[in-house]
Every structure is written in structure tokens, then in C-alpha cells.
Amino acid sequence: MSTAVILAARQERDSDVPYPLMPFEEGKCLIDRTLEILRGSGYRKILIVAGFRFEMFKRFSENGVTVVLAPDYRHTASMASLATVRNLVDEDFLLIEGDTFYERKVVEKLTASSHRNCLATTEESGSGDEAFTESSQGFITKVSKDRHQICQFEGELLGICKISHDTYQKMLLRWDEGNNPLVNYEYLLMDCTSVLERPFIHFKNLIWGDVDNRSNYERLVNYTYPRLRRKEDPFDRENLLNHLRDIFGSRLRDDEVAVEQIGGMSNKNFKVRLNGESYVLRVPGIASEGMVDRSVEGRNSQFASRIGINPEVRYFNDRTGVKLTDYICGAETLNGATIQRKDNLQKIAAIYRTLHMSKVRFNNDFNVFREIGKYEGLLQQCGAVMYSGYDTVRDELPLLEARLNELGVSLAPCHNDAVAENFIKDADGRIFLIDWEYSGMNDPLWDFAALFLESDFMEDSRELFLNSYYDGEIPPETREKILIYQILMDVLWSLWTVIKESGGDNFGTYGPDRFSRALENILRWNETHKRQTNIKKNNTD
């Protein structure tokens, strides 16, 4: 198979330039990246179907690339685009939606598949335009963009698939007989194949995204692509082997170890295969010194393992922070969408109840005001400058602290860093909470504030979680305290970002976005607090 078809004809609603052509790194756009991946995988015949701003795609018409016009792109959808190349496709081919950003392994694995038809799926993204899937025994049984038609959420189509020439001919016949110009190719693919003709590859923990609008594009530039760049950043294998020799013994040989980088936001994580066993090796990232007390992290991680909510810790170096844990079989990293599913929320509430009610006292406290002061000191040491407006925010901190003291602060062992990526589901559906760098004694509501903020929880998800945790008896001060903690964590993590970036990391707009949200929520809290104060005063009068 040497043919690939890229669909890029869609009329953009909020841009004069097609999003597949918008640069996201040093002039490179999505089409550039896809062509690079395809050529690296041996594709010699590449067809681009364009419509909106067709003239802008003509620059690709060389080196085995043919650009084809979809004349009715304003009034049709993806199947009409695919039908325009019927006279140019004479073999099985790879189909790629041009507005999709993905890791190159997707193309590599689909290309290597022995199946003539093969779809690609991944976890639900929460993009709002998902084509949800159901499957049975390795084959797709249902596809729908209407979540009400899906009984068992198993993922969504990735917008990349392999289609046999025979299936394509059946799809064209069905298309020619139909009268709906807005039908999408995936539905005709389902119509024209039996279940056994729809095998798929499921890509867990994939860094990817659709770019359908300005918000998607900004997320690609500021979040998705920086994540991939950190994941693909070349690692020093010999350095990793030295860490592994410290753990397993100096006689460990290079050819005994298989290492795969598996991501991490501030640290580097690697899947290590050795002697038939799989582990995760964590190597701390840039500028982490002074931010984390590794001996505390080590003790707290071991405790979390003992109560069954963290994978088994096999090795922890209190000086360097290098850590080795058991690999979670069938690991699925939760994201902002999957973490809000009812069954996952109930399991996470149970994890927090186990942690908060364990009656164990960590040897350290996580005091956000003290942490902010510590980070301000690190900021000065590295010569970095905080975002404009920080002095105004700094003036509000004593007011927030005083209000928390009025509402009452309880202490329990807390995780304190509830990003979705720290929740890992195994093959049996059990969820683990990993990465205990910032753990310590804290108010349990900090954990909830982080959970809601980091994954942009919907109101229904927040209420479901709180009711599950509190068995329907939510304390009255809960919501105000959560808002205050969200302000404080946005201040803290924006400071963290500036410090990390001073050491060479790049987090896009992660820091400025968090700081802007802190400013907005300070205004929101002030208005609400003043209103509540006036109501109490009037009732007293």
C-alpha cells in the first residue's frame, strides 16, 4: 500500500485560512506534518482533497502529491470529498482527515496492520465533535456522534483509517445511489462492511486533537503540541541505564533492557521492560530542585501504595528523586472527558475517602501560603519575572487566608495535584492515583478544587462527585472554600510555570492562562463575598 488520501476541503467558519494550513511550530502546519509522516512511512502517492481556499493548497503539488478540488465543498461533507478521487485511487489506501494532529505511531501501526480495513480509535476527548464507538472482540460494531445512541463508551474514531479498494468501491456505489450530500464517510464505511471487516487499533494515552476552530487551534499551539514535544524529546539512554544499574545492579547489560518514553508534564517517565517484568522509571525534570522534598515524596508514595491507591514503589532515591514503580497493566491515562464519567467519578471519590480518612499523619504540611512564599524566593533566585499584575494578586492573599480561617480548615493526608493525567485505570477498571510530589497534610477540599479546576468539570460532574464523597450531605462552606483554593492554586502553579520555564522548559500559555483565571476568580469571589457579607449584616440589623 503506497496511497494516502488527505481530506481538507471543509469551509472554515471562523478563519480565512484553513486550519490544516495554520502554522503551529516554526512555520510548520498540519499538512506539512502529515506529509512528513506519510513519506517517512513509504507513501509515494498522496492525494489532498481541498475546497475552501483551494489555491493555498497548490504549493503541495510536487514530490508525489496531487491536489484535487472538491467543487461542492460548501454544500457537502467528507464522503463527497472522498468521492472526488475515485479515478485516482486504484489500491487500498490510508485516509487522514487533514485537521487532525496525532502521533506518528498511528500511521506506522495502521500501515503495518495486516487488515485491509483498519480503523483507529482512542479515548473520548471531550471535543464536542466525537464519533463514539462500540466494539466486540476487536471489531467496531457501532459509530455515532450522538452519545445517546452509545450504551458502552469505548472510545472515539481518530479520523485516520485504512480502507480497502473493494470497500471503497462499495462506498462509492452507495454514495452514488444516495441523496444526502452531508453524509460522512465513516457512516458509509459502516453501511458497506460487515462487523468482521471493521477491525481497529485502539491507541491509549495518545497525544492528539482535532483542529476545527480557533479554540482547538490555540489548544494545539499552547498545550497539545508542547506535550508531544516533551514526550518526543530525545533521551539519554546511557543515563537511563546508569539509573537502572543503581537499582538492579552494575552488571545490567544494555541488551537486557527495553525502554519506551511515555510522557510526563514536568518529569520524564519511561516504561522499562526487564526480565519479563514491566516498570515505570521516573526521572525528575528541569528546575525541580527546591520545589519538591524528595524524602517526603518517597515516604508519602510508599504510604499510598500500602493503602492500595498508588502502584507498588520498587525504588526511590531521596536525593535524586529517581523512582521505579510497577507498570499498570493495560494502563489508560484519564483525560478531562473520561475523568467525568460517572463510574470513574465514583471510583475517584472512593480513592479520596480512603486517603483522607486513613487517620495517618504525613510528616509534612502542604500550606499554600507557605508554598507561594517559597516559590517567590525561587523566582528571585533564578532571576525570573512574574506576570504583570502579580502585585495586585499578592495584596489579595491575606484576605483569602483570613476568610479560610473564618470558614475553618481541616487537615488530612492529601495528594494536592489532581490533574487528570495522575489518574491511571488498569485493564480491570481499577483506578490508581500517581505522582505524590506535592502531597502532604492539607484541607481535603484542596484536592477537590484541583480535581474540578484541572479538568474543567461541568456543574453536574462537580455535584455528582461531592454527593458521592459526602453521601449526599455536602457541608455548606464547601463551594466557597473550593473557589478560594482554586484561586490560590492558579497563583501557585503560574509561579511554578515561570520558574520551570526559566530552566528551559516550555509550557505554552499554561502559566499566563492560569494567572488570568486567578484574576477573574478573585473578582468573582470578591463580588460573592461582599454580597454574602451584606446579607448577613442586613439580617443582623
Side-chain angles (χ1 to χ4, degrees), residues 277-343:
E277 300 291 338
S278 294
Y279 308 94
V280 174
L281 179 70
R282 192 280 305 275
V283 180
I286 297 169
S288 59
E289 302 84 359
M291 288 185 168
V292 178
D293 186 326
R294 296 299 179 187
S295 62
V296 166
E297 180 198 355
R299 289 193 299 271
N300 294 353
S301 296
Q302 295 280 4
F303 166 74
S305 297
R306 286 198 300 274
I307 64 174
I309 61 176
N310 184 51
E312 190 70 27
V313 179
R314 300 295 178 178
Y315 172 87
F316 196 99
N317 188 311
D318 288 351
R319 181 178 55 82
T320 64
V322 171
K323 176 180 66 173
L324 189 82
T325 63
D326 285 349
Y327 180 76
I328 299 172
C329 183
E332 173 195 337
T333 303
L334 298 189
N335 61 34
T338 57
I339 200 172
Q340 295 187 58
R341 292 179 185 168
K342 181 179 179 180
D343 59 333

Side-chain angles (χ1 to χ4, degrees), residues 54-116:
F54 175 77
E55 71 282 357
M56 299 183 71
F57 289 86
K58 291 182 179 179
R59 68 181 176 88
F60 298 108
S61 298
E62 57 183 18
N63 298 327
V65 178
T66 301
V67 181
V68 181
L69 174 65
D72 295 327
Y73 70 89
R74 290 185 181 88
H75 312 293
T76 58
S78 61
M79 186 59 213
S81 293
L82 184 56
T84 62
V85 296
R86 64 172 75 209
N87 296 325
L88 299 174
V89 173
D90 56 8
E91 64 168 346
D92 300 353
F93 63 96
L94 193 71
L95 175 64
I96 299 179
E97 296 179 19
D99 60 3
T100 302
F101 177 84
Y102 53 93
E103 295 183 51
R104 64 178 65 246
K105 68 181 179 182
V106 176
V107 167
E108 293 170 350
K109 290 189 176 183
L110 284 174
T111 303
S113 170
S114 61
H115 299 290
R116 295 185 64 194

